[in-house]
Amino acid sequence: MTLKIISRATWGAKPWNGTPASVPLSKRTEFYVHYDGAHHITRTGYAIMRAIEAEHLGNGWSGVGYNFVIDQAGNIYEGRGWGLQGAHCPDHNTTGIGVQFAIGGDQEPSAKALAACRALYEEAGKKTGRTLAKRGHRDGFATACPGTKLYAWVKAGMPAGNYEAAPNPGGSLPSGGSEVSRAQVTISDLTYGYGAKGDHVTKVGRALVKKGFGKHYTSGPGPTWTDADTRNYQDYQESLGYSGADADGVPGVTSLKELLGTLPGKVTAKPAPPFPGVGKFGPGKSNASITLLGQQLVRKGYGKHYTSGPGPKWSDSDRKNVRDFQLAHASLKGDADGIPGPLTWKLLFS
């Protein structure tokens, strides 16, 4: 069996925004399965990878965070590949190879996608010389990912039929063709691309018109992103020197910032949830506040002691992780007992 992996160069990846660290295959011990979240995925072909790349670059990452991505046709795309550290599961990005299925919500993974993932898993075993642990994202982090259906498949041992390499999917046609990209991307917590709605869509359209790229509008612009927005944005991208896969009419971080002067809608810090009281934490306790605490510890990078969970039952792992957080903050070192008080809670959620 020859495994076909579509390279970064083929799908049109941008240069790394700071090259990720190298990881020797000897350190790989886990194989993590992910999905795209709560929403159905309708984009196809190379647009899948460009959308993921735009979102991850918007997060300030080096590029696509997954090592590989698999679409419903059974195509396997290179993200960070075999030798680079991923950005897909905190505390497991070195040991774990992260693979995303390009599906979301209650979408059924196709037989071709499952077969491709199984083949990729077996290839990983050959390259590392060991049997990798099969994991869903939720096994290493407090999340619903990879969804109920994929997680059940992982826990069943990842059964699949025979793998057959799919033909190259290709990308969207150039401006003026009969088809335009229907991909969506999320940049600074706002969605762009076909079907996106909101004042930010209108703002992009007006900026395009102001710069002389509004010829495809017959109404609007905004508040709903249409094919006209995509064609106009594609014209704008080409004026900046983009071509091919990079000029698909779907905004990227660089071109959007160039158009608007700034990236709108950056996520602002949410106020800390009310402190539930010291009595909610400690041996024998079990409640939602413990789960919330653990999830935030993981987000902040203080989850190394968890082997399951976090929450809802208090464990010694919670105490150790809280203590690590307290010891890392000068104002908490004098009371680093592993039990969160009001100040620990405030700093943790700030």
Side-chain angles (χ1 to χ4, degrees):
M1 176 190 69
T2 301
L3 197 65
K4 176 184 173 184
I5 298 176
I6 298 171
S7 69
R8 286 170 48 82
T10 299
W11 62 258
K14 291 178 170 61
W16 292 113
N17 179 30
T19 306
S22 296
V23 178
L25 288 170
S26 60
K27 290 191 175 182
R28 302 295 198 185
T29 59
E30 306 169 290
F31 189 93
Y32 273 89
V33 173
H34 302 256
Y35 78 157
D36 202 67
H39 304 290
H40 282 207
I41 305 304
T42 57
R43 51 186 176 264
T44 59
Y46 300 159
I48 291 171
M49 295 304 294
R50 295 197 297 271
I52 295 172
E53 180 182 60
E55 180 179 356
H56 289 188
L57 285 172
N59 291 340
W61 300 353
S62 298
V64 173
Y66 305 108
N67 296 95
F68 300 97
V69 175
I70 298 172
D71 69 14
Q72 288 286 67
N75 293 296
I76 304 172
Y77 301 88
E78 179 188 28
R80 302 205 176 187
W82 300 111
L84 295 179
Q85 179 176 308
H88 59 89
C89 188
D91 296 328
H92 300 274
N93 289 320
T94 298
T95 57
I97 295 172
V99 180
Q100 191 222 46
F101 279 72
I103 61 173
D106 60 356
Q107 282 179 283
E108 289 279 356
S110 70
K112 290 181 178 180
L114 295 176
C117 187
R118 179 69 198 203
L120 190 64
Y121 172 78
E122 292 174 357
E123 183 70 13
K126 292 177 184 177
K127 286 183 174 294
T128 60
R130 62 170 62 90
T131 300
L132 302 186
K134 304 180 185 74
R135 313 277 197 213
H137 188 186
R138 67 179 70 174
D139 290 323
F141 187 75
T143 176
C145 182
T148 303
K149 295 175 181 178
L150 271 178
Y151 189 66
W153 176 71
V154 171
K155 289 304 172 184
M158 296 171 54
N162 293 330
Y163 164 74
E164 294 183 7
N168 274 14
S172 57
L173 297 179
S175 181
S178 60
E179 297 180 22
V180 291
S181 175
R182 293 294 177 89
Q184 286 189 344
V185 296
T186 301
I187 301 174
S188 297
D189 214 33
L190 293 173
T191 301
Y192 300 87
Y194 187 81
K197 297 181 180 180
D199 292 340
H200 63 290
V201 173
T202 304
K203 185 176 182 179
V204 169
R206 289 174 177 170
L208 287 168
V209 171
K210 186 175 181 179
K211 286 185 176 288
F213 299 100
K215 70 179 183 181
H216 297 289
Y217 289 128
T218 56
S219 62
T224 300
W225 191 288
T226 67
D227 285 342
D229 292 283
T230 303
R231 290 189 185 279
N232 286 328
Y233 203 93
Q234 192 170 41
D235 290 344
Y236 165 66
Q237 288 171 323
E238 290 172 351
S239 77
L240 296 177
Y242 293 106
S243 62
D246 290 330
D248 60 357
V250 181
V253 173
T254 302
S255 63
L256 187 63
K257 189 173 182 179
E258 179 75 17
L259 177 66
L260 301 178
T262 185
L263 294 178
K266 287 189 176 180
V267 179
T268 55
K270 296 180 180 179
F275 179 58
V278 175
K280 290 287 187 179
F281 307 103
K285 304 295 183 181
S286 179
N287 53 70
S289 295
I290 294 173
T291 302
L292 182 63
L293 170 75
Q295 290 172 342
Q296 188 67 4
L297 284 166
V298 171
R299 291 190 190 99
K300 290 281 191 175
Y302 295 91
K304 71 178 183 181
H305 297 292
Y306 288 126
T307 56
S308 62
K313 293 182 179 180
W314 180 268
S315 69
D316 198 49
S317 296
D318 293 293
R319 182 190 65 79
K320 290 178 179 178
N321 287 327
V322 171
R323 187 170 186 273
D324 286 349
F325 177 80
Q326 291 170 330
L327 289 173
H329 293 76
S331 58
L332 300 173
K333 282 185 178 180
D335 190 26
D337 59 358
I339 301 295
L343 182 56
T344 297
W345 188 267
K346 180 180 178 181
L347 293 176
L348 181 62
F349 284 91
S350 63

